[in-house]
Amino acid sequence: MTFRILRLALIAAGALVISWLLMIGLTWLGTRSESFSNVVATGTAQYFSALTIGAIYALIALGYTMVYGIIELINFAHGDVFMVGAFVAYLIFTSLGFGGAIKSIPLLIGILLLGFLVTMVVLGVLGAAIERFAYRPLRNAPRLAPLITAIGVSFILQNVVQVLISNSPVPSPQLVSLEYRFTLLGASVPLLNLLIFLVAVVLMIALQVFVGGTRLGRAMRSTAQDREAAQLMGVNINATIAITFFIGSALAGAAGLIYGLYKGNIVFNLGFDAGLKAFTAAVLGGIGNTVGAALGGFAIGFIEVAAVTTGLSRWQEALVFSVLILVLVFRPAGILGQQIGERA
Amino acid sequence: MTAQPAATDDLLSMEAVDAFYGHIQALRSVTINVRRGEIVTLIGSNGAGKTTTLKTISGLVRARSGRVMFDGTDISRVDAYRLVPRGLGHAPEGRRIFSRLSVFENLQMGGFTRKRSEVNEDLARVFQLFPRLAERRAQRGGSLSGGEQQMLAIGRALMSRPKLLLLDEPSLGLSPILVQQIFSIIQEINRQGTTILLVEQNALQALNVAQRGYVLQTGRIILAESAADLAANPQVRQAYLGEI
Ligand SMILES: Nc1ncnc2c1ncn2[C@@H]1O[C@H](COP(=O)(O)OP(=O)(O)OP(=O)(O)O)[C@@H](O)[C@H]1O
Ligand SMILES: [Mg+2]
């Protein structure tokens, strides 16, 4: 366990350095007339945007991959669960009277922690409730039925937010002032970007520890592999599946909160695009694999931002999905997915 | 067939159980009992309903009529996962070990319903019965050989410290030496106090270790006798012991 985490940490550190250099290289391709120090500065700034956007995709992708891993359902409502997370955080912050940057650092930290806690619990309960009422009754139905139900849930969530909150974009409180910045290699980077990345990393590590090293985590992995055998071990599979939805949705809720802080405005249908990209991230990383989902999320964030720096921003979507197709042609089960034959 | 009266020392009894898969009837009025401390075997040809019988006991298949009594209570409507802490262990057909979990984690899953402090004691017992598993504890379950996987499946079922252990074809696909070994371990487990209901294709070996046996044919119990009588029965010898 510890060995596995250490190895993961090393690989992640390597990937961070390589992608940084790669981003600087790509920036140079996009802006060849600039001076070297300008290229490094722009590349570094873009790299931190990529980490932030990637962190959001990665957190959403984890929910897709966990649910698919345990009941082989592509939960198309998951992107909208993320959207609801953004709105729940919005409601918490505004109802407490915080509409903008909080000056006092201890207060800021306190409100953020409270926001994450409440948003994640509320979203976890929402996710478990969706499973209970929309998917569990269909668990033994043909595959298409729960898939259609998921699309239905997606529309219902959008509609509810649209009617109860707003039909048009609303400004979400940017509690962390963008004036807090640090300078690195000539780039001035908002501290918020680093904060978002770190929060995402902490949540991912917590997830790995939970799934890899606890009794409940083992029950989840066993249920994913062989539901009947898990029951014979005394595992309540309904409860285990509900917990999986709870965790996946809580992570999407955290991503929603982060999205609001970062973007400064939210709209009822923002889950569609982000959800689709995060789903792509999960497939890219190898669906069912949590490390793969995180990797895929960061990869897609990187490609999106790289498209902008190389002057191909109009080709962003085409680039993301071309990479997806290329990866799947060579590794049909995704980067870290179990290739057929490896399953045993 | 002779229907035994329900004795008070019965750990398990199935009374006139019918079970179905959709419209297909797999068990027809199956009545069996297992007393505390016994090894009882269930033999029969492919598709006779042996696996279905075990699944009906452990709650994976529901009896449509009749009832299943375990340790003094009716368990016919109890969820499978709730039976494990009550003392029912089931090593299912085809081993069904968690191939992506390590050997150690598989055993931990076996002890899922036990307290953490008890698990270590039970692990020691399983490792004593199967020293091979101790050597391979860090290995992925799926990378074990067939025989090792079978040991893991039995060891995993023992981790819940069952009063009754259901074993579904534990010797399937093993070399003759390993078959011998598995059967002597089954006897050892029984000596240590676990009651066993054993399903086997390997009828001769099963009747050797069991006290009593049942013969199942297309969902019905057609014979219920002592193991010695069954082994001597010409009909059984011809049909299940491979004699002409
Ligand atoms: N999941 C299922 N769905 C439909 N029919 C089933 C199912 N499982 C078993 N059956 C049918 O029920 C009958 C009994 O099957 P069962 O698996 O209990 O036999 P068995 O005695 O264990 O056979 P074997 O020795 O081959 O393992 C068979 O006719 C089988 O085809
Ligand atoms: Mg069978």
Side-chain angles (χ1 to χ4, degrees), chain B residues 103-104 107 123-124 126-139 144 151-152:
Chain B
V103 169
F104 185 65
L107 293 173
L123 264 176
V126 169
F127 284 151
Q128 195 199 338
L129 277 173
F130 303 105
R132 190 76 76 84
L133 294 182
E135 288 164 31
R136 315 219 173 242
R137 56 193 288 159
Q139 212 168 307
L144 296 181
M151 294 175 193
L152 181 55

Side-chain angles (χ1 to χ4, degrees), chain A residues 65 279-289 291-297 324 327-328 333-338:
Chain A
T65 226
F279 172 62
T280 306
V283 174
L284 192 66
I287 195 136
N289 183 315
V291 176
L295 184 75
L324 174 76
V327 169
L328 292 187
I335 300 170
L336 298 182
Q338 294 215 323

